[in-house]
Amino acid sequence: MSVADPMTDDAPDPTVPPVPRSVLELGGRLPETGAERSFQDMVDTAETADAYGYARFWVAEHHSSHRTASGVPAVLIAHIAARTERIRVGSGGVMLPNHPPLTVAEQFATLQAMYPGRIDLGLGRSVAGPVRPDGLMEAALRRDPLGAAEFPERIDELMGFLLDRGPERHRFHALPLTPRPSSPPEVHVLGAGEGSARIAAERGLPFAYGHHLGRSKCRPAATAHYRSAFRAARAGGRPYLVVSVNVVCAGTDEEAERLALHTSARLGGPYREAAADTTLSPAQALQVARRTLAENQVVLGAPTKVNAELDALARRSGADELMLVPYELTGAARCRTLRLAAAPRHTPPWEPRGRPTAAPDRRLTH
């Protein structure tokens, strides 16, 4: 069964093409998986996404976590872009309060110059690390206690560097950005609530809504707020909404549920932490895993079921693009989910490195 929100909308309109799909790679790993294997898993997943026609492949920023190996997005993006050919590669995201805007602008301008037209810069404002009562993570990363509060101003500063805007938006306008590619990377604002939606809307930027973050963190009203408050930054500009969603796809619904429950049991989460001092019976452990799946709004099942629920989520949210987050802890499992989720929508994959099974479609949709 699926633990995502019930689908209450009408049947799909066959005259409306499906929205593009992309991938967010969280760098998840088992505790016993070494760093070298973790990075190869990311490359394998990216190559699968590239071969099966996904539009983008984003990597996250996480610090001091034994569950992930994704702490330096710019380095990972350079490596992944070199190993793929068609797919856009970017950050989901760079936590801007952790970095000087000029440094981020230089990194992503360099990436865009190296891989023209393929680089995305997703920007968030969380600390991207464990929350500690002593504030040690914030102190190690930010040093500036106002970093999060100044997130909107830091976006303006970064956009000023990338777009060479004047002093009305950018206090360091006298400093040229080097290198300056012929076009800037595509910038998105990440978030799960109305505040982030407003920041994106006021600047005329695409908004990546974090549905995958879970029921307790995301605010569905943010998507409508983004569209209603949107102000185009250029002629013809329009809102563009990306919605991320946790997915497990397997050969059967039962197998997908079993795999998703196993992942939830390994991930833990607030429900397991609340019972950390208690030895759970098998029935109790299963209940905790199911509650974790429900909290994380995981879409799971065989390909037909998963695709129907993803398309319904796109219609319900008004998404212009869906970003699949494979709810898996190994590269092989993430590749399986991406292959099966793409199968009903996509022609047989082409082989990378100039060895297509058929003439590749160079568009960014599938």
Side-chain angles (χ1 to χ4, degrees), residues 270-361:
Y271 303 113
R272 185 65 187 90
E273 292 167 6
D277 298 330
T278 304
T279 300
L280 299 180
S281 68
Q284 290 171 323
L286 179 60
Q287 182 183 27
V288 167
R290 289 189 184 282
R291 291 179 68 189
T292 300
L293 284 183
E295 163 62 24
N296 290 328
Q297 307 182 99
V298 181
V299 170
L300 60 90
T304 300
K305 185 170 184 291
V306 163
N307 278 280
E309 294 197 10
L310 290 176
D311 288 343
L313 173 62
R315 294 192 300 274
R316 188 173 66 245
S317 63
D320 298 289
E321 182 177 327
L322 288 180
M323 183 159 277
L324 278 58
V325 186
Y327 192 71
E328 317 273 9
L329 294 176
T330 68
R334 292 195 283 272
C335 290
R336 183 208 67 243
T337 279
L338 294 182
R339 285 195 305 269
L340 292 177
R345 303 163 48 91
H346 191 59
T347 56
W350 67 292
E351 292 293 330
R353 304 298 167 200
R355 300 186 301 277
T357 58
D361 183 355

Side-chain angles (χ1 to χ4, degrees), residues 105 123 152-177 180 184-185 187 189 199-206 230-235:
L123 300 170
E153 291 77 14
R154 293 189 179 208
I155 288 182
D156 292 341
E157 187 176 314
L158 186 144
M159 295 300 293
F161 283 122
L162 290 178
L163 301 179
D164 196 21
R165 283 179 171 164
E168 72 280 1
R169 296 291 293 272
H170 173 24
R171 62 185 174 130
F172 298 117
H173 66 280
L175 300 177
L177 176 66
R180 180 169 296 283
V187 178
V189 175
I199 291 169
E202 290 175 349
R203 287 154 182 80
L205 295 172
F230 185 84
R231 298 205 301 259
R234 65 183 187 281

